[in-house]
Amino acid sequence: RWIVEFKDVAHNGQSQVRETFQIILLDPAYYPTPTGDGEIIFQYQTVADGSSNTVGIEDYTETTGLLYLFNNIRSFTGARLTNGRVLRFTTIAPIIQLPWLYPIGLVISDSLAGNNNHIPEPGEGIQLVITLTNQGRVQADNVLVCLHNTDGNAMVIDSLVNFGTIPVSGQANNSNHPYFFIINSQPSDTILDFNLVISRNGYQTTHYLPIGLHGVPGIALRNSPSSLPNLECLPNPFSNQILIHFKAPSDAQNIILKIYDAAGRLVNSPKSLFNNQSFTWNGRDNLGRRLSSGVYFVTLTFEIKGEQRVLVKKVVFR
């Protein structure tokens, strides 16, 4: 392996804001991967300001890359950049024996204690509905989710919700029991910082959940319920063909549907896609060759105002 350390690297135009981190390049001859590509590890010792970094990798042409973080914008499933955080870029598919629960959308309402314009503003009371998905390998029962405000600019009144049972590849929301919080003051960066703590029988995970004020975008989706993104794959499991139906918000751009095998290899990707469309997959790759039975992952990627979103469904080909 080859280790490169960057010590006390200053931000552009902010000499007092500095980070210390390492980039570790692993030789695939010693650390093998299914594709033969070497793994890359980013290891952060000190993160002074994780909201104004750009983190990712790109190839030698500088035209193809993988973006993890840009100006406080990242995927729903991405962890916040903090001291001690380690990022691993690999082609090894995850093996998840536990439930894998994470938020895929939210709906904000200020109709109860606000001006009913669906934009959170200081002084308003906000109802919050969150949709969770389970992309793990086992059903999640009695899912408890707690909402915490971490910047002191909001007071959460109703913070604990039981989401019930979420089956594998299933979804659940708290529309019958919305979270409720009051915005006490205006944060300096116009973003309210929340943590969403998801627990179930010994399993626990925490997701950073920013909510923008005055229409400033955070990470999460803030659309009406009818415009929440959706990705359905039926029947699942399948033997001959599967209908993949997807719907992204009306302002979504650069919609891309891809299918990967369990080793993380891209096997199929339709050329031209439009919103609210169906695609029938017959279990063959882009060259028309029939694939072997097993687990595959359908991913829907799209952008809203320059922010990338990803939905994933696991399907079983028999």
Side-chain angles (χ1 to χ4, degrees), residues 11 17-19 44 46-55 68-74 79-83 208:
H11 282 218
V17 181
R18 296 174 177 268
E19 263 94 44
Y44 289 88
T46 305
V47 177
D49 183 3
S51 66
S52 64
N53 290 333
T54 298
V55 179
Y68 182 83
L69 172 67
F70 172 72
N71 196 27
N72 206 29
I73 298 174
R74 65 180 185 280
R80 192 176 187 182
L81 202 61
T82 59
N83 294 346
Y208 171 59

Side-chain angles (χ1 to χ4, degrees), residues 152-205:
N153 292 300
M155 179 173 60
V156 182
I157 306 298
D158 203 350
S159 63
L160 184 63
V161 174
N162 190 326
F163 278 67
T165 297
I166 307 179
V168 174
S169 300
Q171 299 178 7
N173 63 55
N174 63 320
S175 58
N176 293 328
H177 187 175
Y179 295 103
F180 184 76
F181 62 88
I182 298 173
I183 305 174
N184 296 324
S185 56
Q186 171 80 37
S188 58
D189 60 357
T190 71
I191 300 292
L192 292 173
D193 295 322
F194 291 90
N195 277 343
L196 199 65
V197 182
I198 305 172
S199 59
R200 170 262 180 196
N201 296 342
Y203 165 90
Q204 186 175 92
T205 183

Side-chain angles (χ1 to χ4, degrees), residues 25 38 51 63 110 112 187 218 231 239 246 249 260 282:
L25 306 177
S51 66
T63 59
D110 59 350
L112 185 65
L231 177 62
S239 55
F246 57 89
Y260 296 87
N282 58 5

Side-chain angles (χ1 to χ4, degrees), residues 136-165:
R137 296 191 176 187
V138 298
Q139 176 174 287
D141 300 310
N142 193 31
V143 177
L144 296 176
V145 184
C146 191
L147 181 71
H148 297 281
N149 176 248
T150 60
D151 60 11
N153 292 300
M155 179 173 60
V156 182
I157 306 298
D158 203 350
S159 63
L160 184 63
V161 174
N162 190 326
F163 278 67
T165 297

Side-chain angles (χ1 to χ4, degrees), residues 23-26 33 37-44 55-58 65-69 86-92:
I23 296 178
I24 304 174
L25 306 177
L26 300 183
T33 64
D37 297 292
E39 294 180 304
I40 301 174
I41 296 175
F42 292 179
Q43 186 166 274
Y44 289 88
V55 179
I57 57 176
E58 63 182 11
L66 179 62
L67 184 65
Y68 182 83
L69 172 67
V86 176
L87 306 179
R88 178 188 179 200
F89 296 87
T90 182
T91 57
I92 298 176

Side-chain angles (χ1 to χ4, degrees), residues 158-303:
D158 203 350
S159 63
L160 184 63
V161 174
N162 190 326
F163 278 67
T165 297
I166 307 179
V168 174
S169 300
Q171 299 178 7
N173 63 55
N174 63 320
S175 58
N176 293 328
H177 187 175
Y179 295 103
F180 184 76
F181 62 88
I182 298 173
I183 305 174
N184 296 324
S185 56
Q186 171 80 37
S188 58
D189 60 357
T190 71
I191 300 292
L192 292 173
D193 295 322
F194 291 90
N195 277 343
L196 199 65
V197 182
I198 305 172
S199 59
R200 170 262 180 196
N201 296 342
Y203 165 90
Q204 186 175 92
T205 183
T206 300
H207 291 270
Y208 171 59
L209 191 70
I211 295 178
L213 300 189
H214 305 293
V216 176
I219 293 177
L221 298 174
R222 290 184 301 281
N223 302 303
S224 63
S226 61
S227 64
L228 284 176
N230 188 42
L231 177 62
E232 295 293 338
C233 303
L234 297 172
N236 188 18
F238 73 103
S239 55
N240 294 318
Q241 62 182 23
I242 186 171
L243 179 65
I244 302 171
H245 180 76
F246 57 89
K247 178 183 178 182
S250 58
D251 56 346
Q253 297 178 331
N254 299 328
I255 301 172
I256 301 174
L257 185 72
K258 293 184 178 182
I259 302 173
Y260 296 87
D261 64 14
R265 292 182 290 260
L266 177 65
V267 296
N268 200 300
S269 180
K271 298 300 182 183
S272 299
L273 293 175
F274 301 94
N275 197 1
N276 198 16
Q277 185 176 337
S278 295
F279 168 70
T280 300
W281 182 46
N282 58 5
R284 297 179 181 271
D285 65 11
N286 283 325
L287 298 178
R289 298 172 298 194
R290 183 175 174 84
L291 298 170
S292 60
S293 60
V295 173
Y296 292 85
F297 295 93
V298 180
T299 67
L300 177 67
T301 305
F302 56 93
E303 293 182 2

